Amino acid sequence: MTTSDAHTPASAQQHDTTAPARALGAHKAYVEGERAGLRVPVRRVHLSDGRALTLYDTSGPYTDPSVTTDVRRGLDTPRAPWIAARGDTETYPGRVVRPEDDGLQHTVPRGGAGGLDAVFPGRPRRPRRARSAAPVTQLAYARRGEITAEMEYAALREGVAPEVVREELAAGRAVLPANINHPESEPMVIGKRFLVKINANIGNSAVTSSIEEEVEKMTWATRWGADTVMDLSTGRNIHTTREWILRNSPVPIGTVPLYQALEKTGGKAEELSWELYRDTIVEQAEQGVDYMTVHAGVRLAYVPLTARRTTGIVSRGGSIMAAWCLAHHQESFLYTHFEELCEILAAYDVTFSLGDGLRPGSVADANDEAQFAELRTLGELTAVAREHGVQTMVEGPGHVPMHKIKENVELQQEVCDGAPFYTLGPLTTDVAPGYDHITSGIGAAMIAWWGTAMLCYVTPKEHLGLPDRDDVKTGVITYKIAAHAADLAKGHPGAQEWDDALSRARFDFRWEDQFNLSLDPETARAFHDETLPAEPAKTAHFCSMCGPKFCSMRISRDISERFGAESEAELSKEEIAAGMMEKSREFAASGNRVYLPLAE
Amino acid sequence: MTTSDAHTPASAQQHDTTAPARALGAHKAYVEGERAGLRVPVRRVHLSDGRALTLYDTSGPYTDPSVTTDVRRGLDTPRAPWIAARGDTETYPGRVVRPEDDGLQHTVPRGGAGGLDAVFPGRPRRPRRARSAAPVTQLAYARRGEITAEMEYAALREGVAPEVVREELAAGRAVLPANINHPESEPMVIGKRFLVKINANIGNSAVTSSIEEEVEKMTWATRWGADTVMDLSTGRNIHTTREWILRNSPVPIGTVPLYQALEKTGGKAEELSWELYRDTIVEQAEQGVDYMTVHAGVRLAYVPLTARRTTGIVSRGGSIMAAWCLAHHQESFLYTHFEELCEILAAYDVTFSLGDGLRPGSVADANDEAQFAELRTLGELTAVAREHGVQTMVEGPGHVPMHKIKENVELQQEVCDGAPFYTLGPLTTDVAPGYDHITSGIGAAMIAWWGTAMLCYVTPKEHLGLPDRDDVKTGVITYKIAAHAADLAKGHPGAQEWDDALSRARFDFRWEDQFNLSLDPETARAFHDETLPAEPAKTAHFCSMCGPKFCSMRISRDISERFGAESEAELSKEEIAAGMMEKSREFAASGNRVYLPLAE
């Protein structure tokens, strides 16, 4: 494994979504794999003591100053040669894009051809699908014992052997969402043996927001650490928004196809049909959606179980399917057509994210009959999907008080045979709208420690409005905290290195290193500067909490040095005790200086 | 028990620290006890469905529109008659306040007398102390079987029988910090059988901030829910700042007397002495400090245990005592004089908060030998304090990864014989300076669930700078979330009522009720208005996430109504199933309307 660095100039614009580096002093670097041309991006923090720390990087080519990106052209396609080389897929004309795909039933079709050309200006591309009925999924390859380029890539990011990734995929305990029509993506793996991942939701709605804003939200979210992004757009321009996002996204993109299907009916749930849904799935698979939330566990018989709940059904997908079931008094078409769905997803390597349409929307409804009845069905569907070679993860709640969280992971792992769990929060109390990134960050950290593989973020605007740029960042940082806290608690190899590097920088008063090692260097620096704005304070051997006169860290360093902790030698307790009197005399001889004057 | 309401006019200024109510529509109300004149303030939220929810209130007289407060006069003294009536205390001239108490060694003494008169303009008062050697503490009264007015008051706030409070205090499992020289305070109880409490730290430092700002921070913190406030001031005007805070504080005030003692030596730890410390304790006890952090567990022999730590000693008090021990090569004077200390605290009913001077300052140092050696000593000192009738709680860490948190509570409860645990966070990772309210809010919720009685807040500025007004609010709200999440998880009676009320309001689209029931109504309302600013949106039957066309809550309400959940009748599953076909037909007959037009 060799590495290369791409230095970031100090003039990098920190506030620009696609500025070259996360913070002054951070470098975009690459770790090269065994396979020719396989380069995995990392973020490298060079410390002032000459050491460096390498961190996982989700920000894509945008933060590499040697790469020029253009949102109208899209990203390069590193996966394209790998996909082609496998020889099990073919390009084909693809489904014709219709105005209805963008919710434009009542206007004239766009452009002449009505194809992707009209939707996205850069590099129109014919979609690709499996050449035969055999699945072209990472699960199928893993089961055959093949280590794909995608697996090697993900393994390098995780710092594990590629065989570990293959094993976990083959067993269904991990997924590697990588639609063959999203060759722009940088492969990553989701499973409890790996680093805990986080997802950021974006998406316009009928009420507000634009295509450009959504693309920028994606770039912004991945810049701060989102491992995947879900596009939950509703209303107009769904197809076009998604195309722009996919062509510019270095991370896997997830969707809830039901949302678009509903738009095509003009919002009438009872007019949904398997055929319409099927067509939407193909449409999105051809675009390159990496994973799809499918609420196939909302069965007719479970709907009445929600009637006496405090907050009924709060999942949009769940309530759409419940309405359809009620209107037709039939079993959900997602459930009855699940095997056909599997066949489609297998032909593009779209990963299932089995939706929890009956998740609790309040702590009062947590772990109730409706929720767990659906979960057992998701277990049954996980087994069916695996038979078809389709990668599968399972979604979880929601609103759950702390003492009921563990049961959720344990039951999911049991009934879904270890399939990756992907949870929204959970929120541990309902009383703090405006702060639900925090109410849910608590639950997220706990559930991830206990085995959840990916956490869907919650922003401060949850329950109140649509997240803006600041909310997206706050949500991502909060969830990076939850995920990393869980990595630490799980004893993930290497996780604590990061904490230790930052803590050592703090103890040594290396302020710049402390900022650069932070999850959010900009905020850390800004907060420090509010109290101690002068430049010398960046190297001051004190902080504003205790002031220059008496600093606990400074005294503590004295103690540390007095007892020779800087040396390699391991002293016994007896040696330390014996040396103590001597050290005490030295302390007195030094003038008992326990504080550091400003000038020093 | 009878109650009375003091209505808050709709014109209340929401952004003023002492505005009459937390939110439009909130009322200050009082619950009256058995004892004549005993009135416990509560916050009552009147809902638009005619119901009301009563919440714990820490905001003091400031939020009562019928009370006029004046920061120069101080608050009324509801406890004064109770204290006097017990007949076991007497007033006396008290210690003479000296310029050194305010760090003004080198200036002329203030005023003529140099007494409290010069320090605080309002109502100079002679201090009070025990008439004899018998302790005048709530612990002593509880052991004698007496239910004091303070106990009855705290019990009413908790919604438990006064006898429960007495029992917990007598067993040392709870404390009721109530210095006889702080008659302004509204009694409250800290113990694991009661609601989890939170503390907000304020305090100027050598670098920044003023007396007025500190008093305002106290009023601000209690307005948002701080149960106690610690004044950690250093530098100049410590005595005067504390006097202003105490005379205006409705909540118990804690301090770390060592900070002031160190100021009196000009910052030279080696010049500290038992005599100087003792004088400072008396000074603060006469002012009315309710609980004091005493780092008596930092013993000489434990100092070397910190030498090889990643971040040494991070507690300011701990490092001061370590420096003193090193300088003199003697056992800590706090440890050797601990019994004398107990005698002083018993004479004023000051509660011990046994400080954890060797707490870990990084996840690398969590649960190490130094930390637990000190904890065992705190257990020993807890027993000594109890023998002297002094109320005692024990402080805990700090920085602890999730998987090491539980051991902290369990060990503390074991070695301190169930004494209340009072923890700072803990922070579950070190990598997010600028977000340590969140890294620690996660740990705080967990440790409180497992038995911590009070949580010391951490603000976003931790490790970086001094908290301003916004940081104090963010810290308090974050910790109210952690505390309430723990109350829920512990199954505290009544805790879930609050969540359920808010969730029902959410499900019913009662936006105003949802705002008013929030921990922070201002922020909830502001966030909602950002996306949907128009007034009709406050009553809209949809929210900005899904828009008016398709709303999950709306559909869910349809389901709920269809299955008769609004009726009192309990239907069996069979009845529901039988009724379902019928309901489905009704649904179709209604035109399959699953969404609500804007105009409806």
Side-chain angles (χ1 to χ4, degrees), chain A residues 540-574:
Chain A
H541 277 204
F542 64 91
C543 42
S544 57
M545 283 75 79
C546 296
K549 258 171 63 181
F550 197 92
C551 169
S552 64
M553 285 275 185
R554 175 65 201 170
I555 288 190
S556 208
R557 283 192 57 77
D558 284 349
I559 292 166
S560 180
E561 281 160 22
R562 270 164 217 289
F563 290 102
E566 300 288 309
S567 77
E568 294 289 314
E570 279 287 330
L571 299 174
S572 72
K573 266 193 256 181
E574 291 67 29

mmCIF file of all heavy atoms in Angstrom, chain A residues 540-574:
data_model
loop_
_atom_site.group_PDB
_atom_site.id
_atom_site.type_symbol
_atom_site.label_atom_id
_atom_site.label_comp_id
_atom_site.label_asym_id
_atom_site.label_seq_id
_atom_site.Cartn_x
_atom_site.Cartn_y
_atom_site.Cartn_z
ATOM 1 N N ALA A 540 -0.860 29.868 22.905
ATOM 2 C CA ALA A 540 -0.788 30.109 24.350
ATOM 3 C C ALA A 540 -0.861 28.803 25.123
ATOM 4 O O ALA A 540 -1.591 27.890 24.738
ATOM 5 C CB ALA A 540 -1.924 31.027 24.788
ATOM 6 N N HIS A 541 -0.109 28.755 26.200
ATOM 7 C CA HIS A 541 -0.152 27.565 27.053
ATOM 8 C C HIS A 541 -1.201 27.719 28.143
ATOM 9 O O HIS A 541 -0.965 27.446 29.305
ATOM 10 C CB HIS A 541 1.231 27.292 27.636
ATOM 11 C CG HIS A 541 2.097 26.547 26.679
ATOM 12 N ND1 HIS A 541 3.164 25.771 27.055
ATOM 13 C CD2 HIS A 541 2.005 26.440 25.342
ATOM 14 C CE1 HIS A 541 3.719 25.236 25.978
ATOM 15 N NE2 HIS A 541 3.050 25.632 24.920
ATOM 16 N N PHE A 542 -2.361 28.182 27.756
ATOM 17 C CA PHE A 542 -3.490 28.236 28.676
ATOM 18 C C PHE A 542 -4.729 28.390 27.825
ATOM 19 O O PHE A 542 -4.657 28.652 26.633
ATOM 20 C CB PHE A 542 -3.368 29.404 29.664
ATOM 21 C CG PHE A 542 -3.409 30.747 29.013
ATOM 22 C CD1 PHE A 542 -4.615 31.422 28.830
ATOM 23 C CD2 PHE A 542 -2.246 31.351 28.552
ATOM 24 C CE1 PHE A 542 -4.654 32.665 28.215
ATOM 25 C CE2 PHE A 542 -2.273 32.589 27.929
ATOM 26 C CZ PHE A 542 -3.474 33.251 27.755
ATOM 27 N N CYS A 543 -5.877 28.221 28.429
ATOM 28 C CA CYS A 543 -7.082 28.497 27.687
ATOM 29 C C CYS A 543 -7.969 29.440 28.480
ATOM 30 O O CYS A 543 -7.674 29.767 29.629
ATOM 31 C CB CYS A 543 -7.790 27.224 27.259
ATOM 32 S SG CYS A 543 -7.848 25.945 28.494
ATOM 33 N N SER A 544 -9.036 29.879 27.848
ATOM 34 C CA SER A 544 -9.814 30.952 28.446
ATOM 35 C C SER A 544 -10.604 30.499 29.667
ATOM 36 O O SER A 544 -11.077 31.320 30.431
ATOM 37 C CB SER A 544 -10.770 31.522 27.398
ATOM 38 O OG SER A 544 -11.586 30.499 26.900
ATOM 39 N N MET A 545 -10.731 29.190 29.867
ATOM 40 C CA MET A 545 -11.528 28.736 31.003
ATOM 41 C C MET A 545 -10.836 29.080 32.322
ATOM 42 O O MET A 545 -11.447 29.569 33.240
ATOM 43 C CB MET A 545 -11.793 27.237 30.926
ATOM 44 C CG MET A 545 -12.869 26.849 29.927
ATOM 45 S SD MET A 545 -12.289 26.960 28.210
ATOM 46 C CE MET A 545 -11.341 25.454 28.049
ATOM 47 N N CYS A 546 -9.550 28.793 32.407
ATOM 48 C CA CYS A 546 -8.839 29.065 33.656
ATOM 49 C C CYS A 546 -8.014 30.339 33.552
ATOM 50 O O CYS A 546 -7.584 30.882 34.555
ATOM 51 C CB CYS A 546 -7.923 27.917 34.039
ATOM 52 S SG CYS A 546 -8.825 26.404 34.401
ATOM 53 N N GLY A 547 -7.741 30.795 32.346
ATOM 54 C CA GLY A 547 -6.927 31.988 32.177
ATOM 55 C C GLY A 547 -5.455 31.672 32.350
ATOM 56 O O GLY A 547 -5.074 30.540 32.654
ATOM 57 N N PRO A 548 -4.606 32.671 32.147
ATOM 58 C CA PRO A 548 -3.167 32.429 32.167
ATOM 59 C C PRO A 548 -2.619 32.150 33.549
ATOM 60 O O PRO A 548 -1.560 31.540 33.692
ATOM 61 C CB PRO A 548 -2.590 33.736 31.603
ATOM 62 C CG PRO A 548 -3.643 34.774 31.843
ATOM 63 C CD PRO A 548 -4.949 34.054 31.785
ATOM 64 N N LYS A 549 -3.344 32.564 34.610
ATOM 65 C CA LYS A 549 -2.743 32.488 35.937
ATOM 66 C C LYS A 549 -2.645 31.081 36.483
ATOM 67 O O LYS A 549 -1.693 30.721 37.145
ATOM 68 C CB LYS A 549 -3.530 33.356 36.927
ATOM 69 C CG LYS A 549 -2.809 34.669 37.179
ATOM 70 C CD LYS A 549 -3.644 35.644 37.965
ATOM 71 C CE LYS A 549 -3.996 35.184 39.357
ATOM 72 N NZ LYS A 549 -4.820 36.186 40.032
ATOM 73 N N PHE A 550 -3.667 30.299 36.243
ATOM 74 C CA PHE A 550 -3.631 28.954 36.792
ATOM 75 C C PHE A 550 -4.310 27.988 35.841
ATOM 76 O O PHE A 550 -5.519 28.011 35.660
ATOM 77 C CB PHE A 550 -4.310 28.894 38.154
ATOM 78 C CG PHE A 550 -3.930 27.652 38.870
ATOM 79 C CD1 PHE A 550 -2.845 27.649 39.729
ATOM 80 C CD2 PHE A 550 -4.580 26.462 38.621
ATOM 81 C CE1 PHE A 550 -2.442 26.482 40.352
ATOM 82 C CE2 PHE A 550 -4.182 25.293 39.224
ATOM 83 C CZ PHE A 550 -3.112 25.298 40.094
ATOM 84 N N CYS A 551 -3.545 27.129 35.275
ATOM 85 C CA CYS A 551 -4.079 26.239 34.258
ATOM 86 C C CYS A 551 -3.859 24.787 34.660
ATOM 87 O O CYS A 551 -2.730 24.377 34.912
ATOM 88 C CB CYS A 551 -3.382 26.545 32.936
ATOM 89 S SG CYS A 551 -3.729 25.324 31.695
ATOM 90 N N SER A 552 -4.950 24.027 34.726
ATOM 91 C CA SER A 552 -4.827 22.639 35.182
ATOM 92 C C SER A 552 -3.957 21.816 34.241
ATOM 93 O O SER A 552 -3.178 20.969 34.665
ATOM 94 C CB SER A 552 -6.209 21.992 35.324
ATOM 95 O OG SER A 552 -6.848 21.913 34.069
ATOM 96 N N MET A 553 -4.089 22.059 32.945
ATOM 97 C CA MET A 553 -3.302 21.286 31.982
ATOM 98 C C MET A 553 -1.813 21.575 32.186
ATOM 99 O O MET A 553 -0.978 20.688 32.081
ATOM 100 C CB MET A 553 -3.704 21.664 30.561
ATOM 101 C CG MET A 553 -5.031 21.084 30.126
ATOM 102 S SD MET A 553 -4.858 19.392 29.486
ATOM 103 C CE MET A 553 -6.532 19.073 28.916
ATOM 104 N N ARG A 554 -1.496 22.826 32.460
ATOM 105 C CA ARG A 554 -0.098 23.209 32.620
ATOM 106 C C ARG A 554 0.492 22.495 33.845
ATOM 107 O O ARG A 554 1.570 21.907 33.781
ATOM 108 C CB ARG A 554 -0.012 24.732 32.777
ATOM 109 C CG ARG A 554 1.369 25.274 33.072
ATOM 110 C CD ARG A 554 2.319 25.045 31.908
ATOM 111 N NE ARG A 554 3.702 25.105 32.374
ATOM 112 C CZ ARG A 554 4.752 24.758 31.653
ATOM 113 N NH1 ARG A 554 4.611 24.295 30.423
ATOM 114 N NH2 ARG A 554 5.954 24.850 32.130
ATOM 115 N N ILE A 555 -0.213 22.535 34.952
ATOM 116 C CA ILE A 555 0.266 21.873 36.161
ATOM 117 C C ILE A 555 0.410 20.385 35.902
ATOM 118 O O ILE A 555 1.370 19.735 36.300
ATOM 119 C CB ILE A 555 -0.724 22.083 37.316
ATOM 120 C CG1 ILE A 555 -0.637 23.531 37.765
ATOM 121 C CG2 ILE A 555 -0.426 21.136 38.468
ATOM 122 C CD1 ILE A 555 -1.374 23.787 39.038
ATOM 123 N N SER A 556 -0.577 19.869 35.218
ATOM 124 C CA SER A 556 -0.575 18.453 34.942
ATOM 125 C C SER A 556 0.635 18.068 34.094
ATOM 126 O O SER A 556 1.222 17.007 34.282
ATOM 127 C CB SER A 556 -1.877 18.143 34.214
ATOM 128 O OG SER A 556 -2.256 16.847 34.467
ATOM 129 N N ARG A 557 1.019 18.928 33.180
ATOM 130 C CA ARG A 557 2.212 18.657 32.386
ATOM 131 C C ARG A 557 3.456 18.683 33.260
ATOM 132 O O ARG A 557 4.374 17.886 33.073
ATOM 133 C CB ARG A 557 2.360 19.659 31.238
ATOM 134 C CG ARG A 557 1.430 19.371 30.067
ATOM 135 C CD ARG A 557 1.788 20.185 28.845
ATOM 136 N NE ARG A 557 3.153 19.953 28.430
ATOM 137 C CZ ARG A 557 3.558 18.868 27.778
ATOM 138 N NH1 ARG A 557 2.700 17.913 27.481
ATOM 139 N NH2 ARG A 557 4.812 18.734 27.434
ATOM 140 N N ASP A 558 3.477 19.605 34.214
ATOM 141 C CA ASP A 558 4.595 19.628 35.158
ATOM 142 C C ASP A 558 4.727 18.272 35.842
ATOM 143 O O ASP A 558 5.800 17.685 35.914
ATOM 144 C CB ASP A 558 4.359 20.683 36.261
ATOM 145 C CG ASP A 558 4.604 22.107 35.759
ATOM 146 O OD1 ASP A 558 5.153 22.259 34.651
ATOM 147 O OD2 ASP A 558 4.243 23.047 36.489
ATOM 148 N N ILE A 559 3.583 17.781 36.322
ATOM 149 C CA ILE A 559 3.584 16.495 37.029
ATOM 150 C C ILE A 559 4.076 15.396 36.105
ATOM 151 O O ILE A 559 4.927 14.586 36.460
ATOM 152 C CB ILE A 559 2.164 16.169 37.539
ATOM 153 C CG1 ILE A 559 1.775 17.150 38.641
ATOM 154 C CG2 ILE A 559 2.074 14.728 38.035
ATOM 155 C CD1 ILE A 559 0.300 17.137 38.980
ATOM 156 N N SER A 560 3.544 15.435 34.899
ATOM 157 C CA SER A 560 3.910 14.424 33.924
ATOM 158 C C SER A 560 5.411 14.432 33.679
ATOM 159 O O SER A 560 6.059 13.387 33.673
ATOM 160 C CB SER A 560 3.143 14.740 32.637
ATOM 161 O OG SER A 560 3.429 13.814 31.657
ATOM 162 N N GLU A 561 5.966 15.616 33.506
ATOM 163 C CA GLU A 561 7.403 15.700 33.237
ATOM 164 C C GLU A 561 8.220 15.301 34.451
ATOM 165 O O GLU A 561 9.231 14.605 34.349
ATOM 166 C CB GLU A 561 7.766 17.126 32.790
ATOM 167 C CG GLU A 561 7.414 17.336 31.319
ATOM 168 C CD GLU A 561 7.287 18.797 30.940
ATOM 169 O OE1 GLU A 561 7.855 19.653 31.646
ATOM 170 O OE2 GLU A 561 6.607 19.070 29.928
ATOM 171 N N ARG A 562 7.759 15.721 35.616
ATOM 172 C CA ARG A 562 8.478 15.370 36.841
ATOM 173 C C ARG A 562 8.589 13.860 37.030
ATOM 174 O O ARG A 562 9.554 13.358 37.577
ATOM 175 C CB ARG A 562 7.773 15.984 38.051
ATOM 176 C CG ARG A 562 8.283 17.352 38.395
ATOM 177 C CD ARG A 562 7.355 18.119 39.318
ATOM 178 N NE ARG A 562 7.360 19.523 38.928
ATOM 179 C CZ ARG A 562 8.396 20.345 39.108
ATOM 180 N NH1 ARG A 562 9.494 19.895 39.688
ATOM 181 N NH2 ARG A 562 8.348 21.589 38.698
ATOM 182 N N PHE A 563 7.558 13.160 36.616
ATOM 183 C CA PHE A 563 7.585 11.705 36.814
ATOM 184 C C PHE A 563 8.053 10.954 35.579
ATOM 185 O O PHE A 563 7.863 9.753 35.464
ATOM 186 C CB PHE A 563 6.219 11.215 37.291
ATOM 187 C CG PHE A 563 5.943 11.648 38.681
ATOM 188 C CD1 PHE A 563 5.107 12.704 38.936
ATOM 189 C CD2 PHE A 563 6.596 11.046 39.748
ATOM 190 C CE1 PHE A 563 4.876 13.135 40.227
ATOM 191 C CE2 PHE A 563 6.365 11.472 41.044
ATOM 192 C CZ PHE A 563 5.511 12.522 41.287
ATOM 193 N N GLY A 564 8.661 11.699 34.699
ATOM 194 C CA GLY A 564 9.335 11.042 33.575
ATOM 195 C C GLY A 564 8.417 10.329 32.596
ATOM 196 O O GLY A 564 8.811 9.375 31.943
ATOM 197 N N ALA A 565 7.177 10.773 32.491
ATOM 198 C CA ALA A 565 6.250 10.083 31.595
ATOM 199 C C ALA A 565 6.641 10.243 30.138
ATOM 200 O O ALA A 565 6.211 9.483 29.283
ATOM 201 C CB ALA A 565 4.834 10.617 31.801
ATOM 202 N N GLU A 566 7.458 11.258 29.861
ATOM 203 C CA GLU A 566 7.874 11.453 28.477
ATOM 204 C C GLU A 566 8.874 10.382 28.044
ATOM 205 O O GLU A 566 9.078 10.145 26.883
ATOM 206 C CB GLU A 566 8.510 12.841 28.290
ATOM 207 C CG GLU A 566 7.608 14.012 28.626
ATOM 208 C CD GLU A 566 6.507 14.203 27.584
ATOM 209 O OE1 GLU A 566 6.838 14.256 26.383
ATOM 210 O OE2 GLU A 566 5.338 14.275 27.977
ATOM 211 N N SER A 567 9.527 9.772 29.018
ATOM 212 C CA SER A 567 10.520 8.755 28.673
ATOM 213 C C SER A 567 9.846 7.433 28.360
ATOM 214 O O SER A 567 8.694 7.198 28.725
ATOM 215 C CB SER A 567 11.500 8.573 29.832
ATOM 216 O OG SER A 567 10.884 7.808 30.848
ATOM 217 N N GLU A 568 10.582 6.571 27.707
ATOM 218 C CA GLU A 568 10.028 5.281 27.306
ATOM 219 C C GLU A 568 9.958 4.326 28.502
ATOM 220 O O GLU A 568 9.187 3.380 28.521
ATOM 221 C CB GLU A 568 10.915 4.653 26.215
ATOM 222 C CG GLU A 568 10.917 5.418 24.913
ATOM 223 C CD GLU A 568 9.599 5.291 24.173
ATOM 224 O OE1 GLU A 568 9.081 4.174 24.061
ATOM 225 O OE2 GLU A 568 9.076 6.329 23.704
ATOM 226 N N ALA A 569 10.813 4.591 29.499
ATOM 227 C CA ALA A 569 10.948 3.645 30.620
ATOM 228 C C ALA A 569 9.657 3.479 31.406
ATOM 229 O O ALA A 569 8.963 4.430 31.701
ATOM 230 C CB ALA A 569 12.052 4.130 31.551
ATOM 231 N N GLU A 570 9.308 2.278 31.682
ATOM 232 C CA GLU A 570 8.166 1.968 32.535
ATOM 233 C C GLU A 570 8.647 1.895 33.979
ATOM 234 O O GLU A 570 9.399 0.995 34.352
ATOM 235 C CB GLU A 570 7.567 0.608 32.136
ATOM 236 C CG GLU A 570 6.644 0.694 30.946
ATOM 237 C CD GLU A 570 5.314 1.353 31.286
ATOM 238 O OE1 GLU A 570 4.864 1.229 32.431
ATOM 239 O OE2 GLU A 570 4.753 1.998 30.384
ATOM 240 N N LEU A 571 8.208 2.848 34.791
ATOM 241 C CA LEU A 571 8.624 2.824 36.198
ATOM 242 C C LEU A 571 7.617 2.024 37.009
ATOM 243 O O LEU A 571 6.429 2.064 36.748
ATOM 244 C CB LEU A 571 8.673 4.259 36.736
ATOM 245 C CG LEU A 571 9.655 5.225 36.048
ATOM 246 C CD1 LEU A 571 9.467 6.622 36.605
ATOM 247 C CD2 LEU A 571 11.088 4.759 36.234
ATOM 248 N N SER A 572 8.113 1.328 38.017
ATOM 249 C CA SER A 572 7.195 0.637 38.920
ATOM 250 C C SER A 572 6.637 1.658 39.900
ATOM 251 O O SER A 572 7.158 2.769 40.029
ATOM 252 C CB SER A 572 7.940 -0.449 39.707
ATOM 253 O OG SER A 572 8.785 0.170 40.655
ATOM 254 N N LYS A 573 5.563 1.292 40.580
ATOM 255 C CA LYS A 573 4.976 2.201 41.574
ATOM 256 C C LYS A 573 5.986 2.544 42.665
ATOM 257 O O LYS A 573 6.034 3.666 43.166
ATOM 258 C CB LYS A 573 3.736 1.540 42.216
ATOM 259 C CG LYS A 573 2.457 1.938 41.529
ATOM 260 C CD LYS A 573 1.249 1.542 42.336
ATOM 261 C CE LYS A 573 0.589 0.322 41.728
ATOM 262 N NZ LYS A 573 -0.614 -0.113 42.454
ATOM 263 N N GLU A 574 6.805 1.551 43.011
ATOM 264 C CA GLU A 574 7.798 1.771 44.058
ATOM 265 C C GLU A 574 8.820 2.810 43.607
ATOM 266 O O GLU A 574 9.196 3.707 44.349
ATOM 267 C CB GLU A 574 8.521 0.454 44.419
ATOM 268 C CG GLU A 574 7.630 -0.554 45.140
ATOM 269 C CD GLU A 574 6.513 -1.105 44.243
ATOM 270 O OE1 GLU A 574 6.711 -1.177 43.012
ATOM 271 O OE2 GLU A 574 5.456 -1.448 44.793
#
